[in-house]
Every structure is written in structure tokens, then in C-alpha cells.
Amino acid sequence: MKIGIPRGLGIYEYPILFVNFFKYLGIEVVMSDKSNNKILKDGIDNSLIESCLASKIFIGHVANLVKRSKEEKIDYIFIPRLCTFENNQTICVKFFAIYDICKNIFNAKFLTLNLDYEKNKTELNAFLKLGKKLGKSKPQVIKAYLKARKMQKIYDKKKYIEQTEKILLNDKKLKVLIVAHPYVLYDEILGKRIIKILEDNNVELIYANINSLTMQNPKIFKWIRTKDSEYINISKSIFWKSSRNILNGVGTNINNVDGIIYISVFPCGTDSLVNELTIRKTKNIPSLNLVLDEQDADVGINTRIESFIDILEMNKNKNMRISG
Amino acid sequence: MDSKCYIGIDIGSISTKGVVIDSNNNIIASKYLWTEGSPINATKNVVSSLKEQLDNKNICKDVYGIGTTGSARNLIGTILNANLVKNEITAHAIGTLSRYPDTKTILEIGGQDSKLIIIRNGVVVDYAMNTLCAAGTGAFLSSQAKRLGIEIEQLGKIALSSKNPTKIAARCTVFAESDLVHKAQIGHSKEDIVAGICKAVVNNYLNNLAKGKSIEDKVIFQGGVSKNVGVVEAFKKALNKEVYVDKDSHLMGALGVAILSKNINKNGNKLNFDFNIKDIDFKTIGTECKGCPNNCEIVNIYKDGKLIDKMGGRCDKGNQITKIS
């Protein structure tokens, strides 16, 4: 059996878990191509005009897999359906709907994982249901899930330790905190494009989505209390999981960085609220809010990033005042 | 007398500005004209006009620095062989600070961009820039002026004669336009509508950029729109503060980049710059890179038929110039 996974949205929440779960069950996995303008174009052609850019790109990735499925003999395309999580957390409704949207747009076979704590209680139950559809036995599925979960944790921990070392490193480089959802940050034509510009400008980047909260395993039992994290300094009541994760990163790192760059896609409902809220709560640190849309000219983005870095540099070397 | 001079060119979406300064940051020649969609031609005209002014004043023209800024800064930077290409925010801040060292807030509204620059103790500490849409910028004003059959230069004066500005939705240019047509049809006078437009620009600016930022004295207003007295008045009323507009408020970006190009040229080498740029033939040809599915748009710049630069590609594949030996 062969399963295709589109690179986008929910996949970036737990990439290692999803890919390895199938691998440990002896199922071959292929990924869609990395995002490029062709994928974006296919996505736009197949989406409603009002969808957000990230979901348009996701649909482009599905189109890419559908196109390849005949030649490469892909049996199913895997689209996780993320809905509700522990502690009454939820996520953008796009994640609820994207599986059904794709099922209606494309003539292909899809497979889903229904991560809905209100229905399934735990993540494991959702995986058991998925395993049943694949015709695997319960012990097989549990073993594959636990192993894949562990791999995800090892991967997260490695990234977390690397980042902590980077924060503690006391060099003269500017440190900038990047606040973006993983599906924006790791996309070739969204976040990676901006990261490249920043790295060319010799800036040390700290990522808000890598923090102690994001590497926590999901609870197996409902009654275990999760300890409070740094996000409560900014908002106690934030209930979007992905936003809470990155807010925790902002709360943890705010004293370690020279500036914050928020990257979001147009039109994002959660970010338009959360980023605005965070900017207002963190007034004494310079911040830049970048909203990406379908225009692909870099001029506007370059201007904003260059000016922002100029400001941070002037702030850092206050005695090196430039004046006429 | 010190004969060194420095050139700053600010190529915006609507207008192109050029200045020549001496070593003491005094403007000795300046030019302002419409870009009209052709930054190269506009720059040629600006440079030849600067040359004429220098010739008339009989000043020796040894160029020791060329800086470019504005949205076409990279293209023009290549063509003029500039020693400095800088973003607009820094350029504007430096230009303004050279004249008003005690500035704390700069309001800037240009053709398609609007910016708010916060300065404390002579250092830029924060800025905001309009994100996706160009509502409430110069482009909006000029299209509405055209709709009302008024010269854009007259807009400010007409606005001042109104006693009761019409309320116009400021959120979006498209809505503002239909609102405006509607208000005209139910009988509001032209002066009131024009004053309403100026107020809408200010409200839009304050709602979009200035939210959460503290605007402190001294406030300087610049960019093309600062020439519109109606908008200046509306800002004064909305902020309840004195708003200063320099007589060269439209040239601040060009001035700033000229100063920066002076500062960067530390060894004091004379630059190889030809004022007779008008006679040189520059051509740009847009092509699509076929290196990968991204299909970046590459701009090839030819000087007298010879390829001098390529830009626009996301990787080096498209930007490399294949040398023809």
C-alpha cells in the first residue's frame, strides 16, 4: 500500500508522527512536491476565493498528489482532520473542513484521522480507528503509534535543545523571534522565503513555535492536570491550540530577543486577533507584522524587513547614533 | 570651496525626487516629477534637470556619493551605479532628523505607501507601514480628485473652504468611492466632500497605522500628501497637536539617502558618474526563468545594448549573468 501526504496545514503540527505511523505499519509514504508557484496556482484554481493562502496552497499540494497518483500508484491521500484537543482547546475551522473540502473537489481516495477529543477522548483512539480502516490489528496500531509518538518527541526535543543553546549563546548578532504557525513557517513560498531574507541579513532567528509546551505529549488520561505555561502572561483564555503554542513561545523568549516578526497569511482569522493582542501586550519590544498574500513581488516584504533590521541595529548600538 | 557633492534619488510609485547636497547637507539642486510608470525615464529627466541647475549656479560637480531609495531603488541603483541602496524608512528618518533633531514622530503618506516612524532620542525605535492595501494614500486622493474633476493640487485649498466636512467611510477605497458618489447625489457640496476625503485619509491612517502607538511632539508630516493643506489641517484636528510640514517635505527621502551615501563613502573616493545619463540607452526586458516550477520573473537590464544586470529571481539560477566572451 502507498499513501500520499500533502505538505501543508495539519501535517506540520506533527510531521514525524504521521509519516512514521504509516512507516511502522509497513506502508510506503510519499510526500507532495515542495511548495512552488505551480502548486500555488493549482491551489488557487481549485479553491474558493475567500480561503486563506495556506489552505489554497494545501489544496495545491493535494492536486499535485492526485496528478501523480496514477503514475506512482498512490492508493490513498492522507488528510488529518484536526478538531478539538485536550483542555477544551480547538483549532481554526479550516482544519475541521479541509478533509471534506478535498473529498468534494477531487476524484481520488482519501484517508483521514479524526483528531476530535470530544468524540474520541484521546489521540490513540483516533489512530486506532485509522488503523482499522487500513486493516491492521489493534496491537500493531498501538505499537506503531507509540513508536511514532516517541520519534516525534525526540525530534521536538532535539530542536528545542538546539534553540535553547542558540538563545544562551551570547554573540553580537541580532536575535529576532519569529511568530508563525508551523504551516506558514516551514512552507517554501511563505515562511522559508522570509527566513532566507532574514538569514541573508545576518540575523539569529528564534522560533516561537519551538518551546516546552509544543513538545508535551498529549494526555492519555483526562484527569491529569497540565501545568500552566508562559502563554498566560499574554492571554489566559486563548483556546486555539496552535495560537496557544506560539504564544507560549512569545512568553518564554520575550526577554531574550531584540525584536519580534509576526508572519501570517491573508486572510487569517485567528492571527488577526492573536497577533494584534500580542503586539499590544508586548509594547516595549519592536515588532513587525507581515501579512502574506498571493502577490509574489518581494519588494514590499524586503522594504519592511530591511527597515525593521535597521531599527533593531540602531537600537542595539544606541551610542552609534546616525544623524545628519 | 569644497566641491564635493552627493546625489540622492527617491523613486516612488507616483513621483520621482532627486536632490544634490553639499558636504554640509544643504540642498543645492532638487527636482520633483511624476514617475508615470517609467522609473528609468523619470530618473533620466531628474538627473538632467539636476545637472542644468548645477550648471546655472556654476558649481563644480564632483560626485562622491549616489544613493537611491523608494520602491524602484534596486533597479535605479544598478543603472546609476549607486554606492548605497537603502529602504525608505531609514532614508526618511535620516532626512528629517538632519533638519529637526528633536523629532519624535514622522507621519508619511506617499503614493501607495503610508508609514509612521517613531523616533526617541534621535533613534528610530518603531515603525508601522500599511500592509496589503493602499487605501488612504496619495493614489486614493488623486483618483478621487479626478472623479470630482478637480486638479490634485487644488484639493487642499478647496477642503479648507468647507465648514462641515461630509462623513466618508474610510476603511476601504472602493467603499469610500461608492460612499462619495452617494453623498454627492444626496446633495452634499463639493467642498464638503473634498474635506471629507481629506478627513477620511487621516482617519484611515490613524486607524490602521497609529493604533496602539504613542504619537508625541514634535510631529513632522511628509511625503507627497503633506503638500495637501486639507490633510494637514485634518491631522492637526485629529491629533490635537501642532503638525510641522517642511518646505522640502516631499524631498526628505532623497535628502536622507544622499546623506547616507555621504556617510558611507568614508575613503572619499570620487565616483565615476556621468550626468549625461540621458544619452545612454537603458532597456529592461522581463523574462521568465525556467529553472524550476517557481518561474520567477527576471528583469534583464541592458545599457547601450549590453546586459549589465539581472534581478528578480529567488535563487541565483536566474540572476546569474552568463558572460559572453
Side-chain angles (χ1 to χ4, degrees):
Chain A
M1 197 190 269
K2 203 179 199 176
I3 283 179
I5 301 186
R7 288 176 203 258
L9 294 185
I11 304 297
Y12 282 118
E13 293 288 319
Y14 307 115
I16 309 291
L17 171 67
F18 293 139
V19 173
N20 281 314
F21 175 72
F22 292 117
K23 277 192 182 158
Y24 293 140
L25 287 176
I27 296 168
E28 202 184 328
V29 174
V30 285
M31 303 296 287
S32 62
D33 298 346
K34 286 182 177 167
S35 292
N36 55 44
N37 283 358
K38 177 83 181 62
I39 284 180
L40 173 64
K41 198 188 161 289
D42 285 346
I44 292 171
D45 291 348
N46 282 311
S47 312
L48 271 180
I49 192 107
E50 279 160 29
S51 311
C52 80
L53 187 57
S55 75
K56 283 177 183 167
I57 289 176
F58 184 84
I59 287 174
H61 280 282
V62 177
N64 175 268
L65 284 171
V66 172
K67 229 177 274 168
R68 285 163 50 189
S69 64
K70 220 174 190 183
E71 205 172 290
E72 295 178 31
K73 293 203 175 78
I74 299 170
D75 298 297
Y76 291 103
I77 296 168
F78 173 66
I79 301 175
R81 181 169 178 271
L82 309 183
C83 293
T84 54
F85 299 89
E86 62 223 348
N87 305 333
N88 297 327
Q89 291 179 94
T90 178
I91 200 160
C92 167
V93 283
K94 268 270 130 56
F95 290 80
F96 291 34
I98 198 78
Y99 166 70
D100 294 299
I101 291 173
C102 291
K103 232 176 131 178
N104 278 302
I105 298 175
F106 299 103
N107 184 19
K109 281 202 268 181
F110 290 100
L111 204 62
T112 192
L113 168 82
N114 198 10
L115 264 187
D116 192 345
Y117 277 65
E118 278 171 14
K119 266 192 183 153
N120 291 329
K121 297 283 186 293
T122 61
E123 197 176 87
L124 177 61
N125 286 343
F127 274 94
L128 280 170
K129 273 189 190 164
L130 172 64
K132 209 173 163 190
K133 254 184 241 162
L134 294 166
K136 305 285 174 189
S137 73
K138 256 189 185 180
Q140 269 180 315
V141 174
I142 294 175
K143 208 174 138 199
Y145 165 73
L146 289 175
K147 226 167 136 192
R149 245 292 156 215
K150 200 174 163 195
M151 292 305 285
Q152 178 73 45
K153 174 118 189 178
I154 291 171
Y155 173 80
D156 287 344
K157 205 165 184 179
K158 190 174 152 243
K159 272 175 124 182
Y160 178 68
I161 291 169
E162 272 174 17
Q163 171 137 308
T164 316
E165 277 169 4
K166 222 160 68 175
I167 295 169
L168 293 174
L169 206 69
N170 197 10
D171 58 2
K172 278 184 185 146
K173 266 183 169 182
L174 281 177
K175 286 198 182 78
V176 171
L177 182 68
I178 304 290
V179 183
H181 294 290
Y183 58 86
V184 177
L185 184 61
Y186 298 123
D187 194 280
E188 297 292 320
I189 52 177
L190 301 175
K192 283 208 175 156
R193 191 169 118 204
I194 289 164
I195 290 169
K196 188 173 173 278
I197 301 176
L198 285 165
E199 277 173 349
D200 289 348
N201 279 300
N202 203 21
V203 175
E204 187 87 75
L205 299 176
I206 313 289
Y207 302 102
N209 59 308
I210 303 174
N211 62 62
S212 57
L213 186 69
T214 37
M215 37 176 253
Q216 270 173 20
N217 275 337
K219 286 187 303 187
I220 305 235
F221 302 106
K222 217 181 167 184
W223 44 263
I224 301 178
R225 259 203 72 187
T226 354
K227 52 175 191 230
D228 279 340
S229 292
E230 300 284 343
Y231 68 85
I232 55 162
N233 296 334
I234 294 159
S235 168
K236 271 182 202 165
S237 53
I238 202 86
F239 51 82
W240 292 299
K241 183 179 167 66
S242 192
S243 299
R244 188 186 277 192
N245 281 345
I246 51 179
L247 273 195
N248 192 54
V250 178
T252 324
N253 294 317
I254 189 135
N255 295 324
N256 305 324
V257 292
D258 301 299
I260 306 179
I261 297 183
Y262 300 85
I263 309 171
S264 62
V265 289
F266 182 81
C268 180
T270 56
D271 282 0
S272 61
L273 175 77
V274 176
N275 288 357
E276 190 60 46
L277 178 94
T278 320
I279 290 170
R280 287 182 192 208
K281 292 251 176 164
T282 56
K283 256 186 194 160
N284 38 16
I285 185 158
S287 57
L288 172 68
N289 194 5
L290 286 177
V291 184
L292 305 177
D293 69 349
E294 283 153 33
Q295 310 177 0
D296 66 342
D298 280 344
V299 185
I301 289 173
N302 271 331
T303 303
R304 285 162 180 81
I305 292 178
E306 278 173 25
S307 336
F308 188 66
I309 292 170
D310 274 355
I311 289 172
L312 297 186
E313 245 150 32
M314 280 189 239
N315 270 329
K316 199 159 187 172
N317 318 311
K318 274 212 171 116
N319 40 358
M320 194 198 82
R321 181 189 301 187
I322 320 176
S323 57
Chain B
M1 193 194 131
D2 196 358
S3 69
K4 288 177 183 173
C5 72
Y6 309 89
I7 302 175
I9 311 268
D10 178 356
I11 317 97
S13 52
I14 303 279
S15 60
T16 299
K17 287 77 74 176
V19 297
V20 181
I21 60 166
D22 60 18
S23 305
N24 298 322
N25 301 340
N26 297 316
I27 295 179
I28 44 180
S30 71
K31 183 68 188 168
Y32 176 92
L33 46 79
W34 301 125
T35 310
E36 286 173 336
S38 168
I40 296 180
N41 276 340
T43 307
K44 280 182 176 177
N45 292 336
V46 164
V47 170
S48 55
S49 159
L50 291 176
K51 178 178 185 266
E52 222 168 78
Q53 291 176 42
L54 293 180
D55 282 347
N56 288 344
K57 288 185 185 163
N58 220 350
I59 303 169
C60 180
K61 328 171 271 286
D62 291 332
V63 178
Y64 281 79
I66 305 166
T68 58
T69 184
S71 36
R73 59 182 181 277
N74 285 316
L75 175 70
I76 302 302
T78 308
I79 284 175
L80 295 180
N81 204 4
N83 66 340
L84 180 89
V85 177
K86 200 79 190 167
N87 61 74
E88 300 94 299
I89 307 258
T90 315
H92 273 115
I94 300 296
T96 310
L97 283 169
S98 74
R99 293 222 168 154
Y100 305 96
D102 53 344
T103 307
K104 283 195 170 167
T105 312
I106 301 175
L107 317 170
E108 209 259 12
I109 306 184
Q112 285 200 336
D113 284 334
S114 46
K115 309 169 195 87
L116 169 68
I117 308 174
I118 309 280
I119 298 172
R120 296 289 179 267
N121 302 320
V123 177
V124 182
V125 291
D126 201 0
Y127 83 97
M129 198 164 168
N130 59 338
T131 46
L132 290 168
C133 85
T137 56
F140 168 70
L141 280 176
S142 71
S143 74
Q144 298 317 322
K146 216 171 270 166
R147 168 178 281 277
L148 293 168
I150 300 169
E151 290 290 314
I152 180 89
E153 290 84 358
Q154 302 300 318
L155 211 65
K157 254 189 221 156
I158 296 173
L160 286 190
S161 66
S162 156
K163 289 205 174 71
N164 192 16
T166 308
K167 274 183 194 151
I168 287 175
R171 188 78 196 136
C172 166
T173 309
V174 181
F175 291 145
E177 199 164 310
S178 38
D179 211 20
L180 194 143
V181 173
H182 178 67
K183 289 283 155 71
Q185 279 165 344
I186 60 171
H188 286 261
S189 73
K190 212 174 225 184
E191 298 91 59
D192 289 348
I193 290 177
V194 169
I197 294 173
C198 294
K199 222 177 139 189
V201 166
V202 169
N203 285 343
N204 185 296
Y205 181 93
L206 294 177
N207 290 340
N208 280 332
L209 296 184
K211 55 184 175 190
K213 307 239 188 286
S214 68
I215 295 179
E216 287 180 27
D217 287 326
K218 176 177 210 171
V219 182
I220 311 278
F221 179 28
Q222 59 196 40
V225 177
S226 68
K227 294 287 166 197
N228 182 325
V229 279
V231 177
V232 178
E233 275 310 308
F235 260 124
K236 279 183 192 168
K237 259 185 210 152
L239 293 173
N240 203 9
K241 277 189 168 65
E242 186 55 35
V243 175
Y244 294 86
V245 179
D246 192 83
K247 67 178 195 320
D248 295 326
S249 64
H250 55 296
L251 297 173
M252 284 303 169
L255 173 64
V257 84
I259 293 170
L260 285 169
S261 82
K262 181 185 85 180
N263 293 349
I264 205 167
N265 191 358
K266 283 191 182 115
N267 351 334
N269 294 330
K270 195 180 153 191
L271 293 185
N272 179 20
F273 178 71
D274 187 2
F275 268 104
N276 297 318
I277 193 167
K278 208 167 176 139
D279 310 330
I280 304 170
D281 176 40
F282 285 105
K283 217 178 182 179
T284 53
I285 298 173
T287 52
E288 219 171 61
C289 175
K290 302 276 187 228
C292 74
N294 273 330
N295 298 345
C296 297
E297 285 170 45
I298 310 284
V299 177
N300 302 286
I301 305 168
Y302 294 89
K303 181 182 177 184
D304 285 330
K306 214 180 119 216
L307 183 64
I308 55 167
D309 203 0
K310 282 185 172 188
M311 50 186 163
R314 292 221 181 119
C315 65
D316 292 336
K317 212 183 257 171
N319 291 350
Q320 258 163 18
I321 304 176
T322 357
K323 290 223 171 78
I324 310 152
S325 53

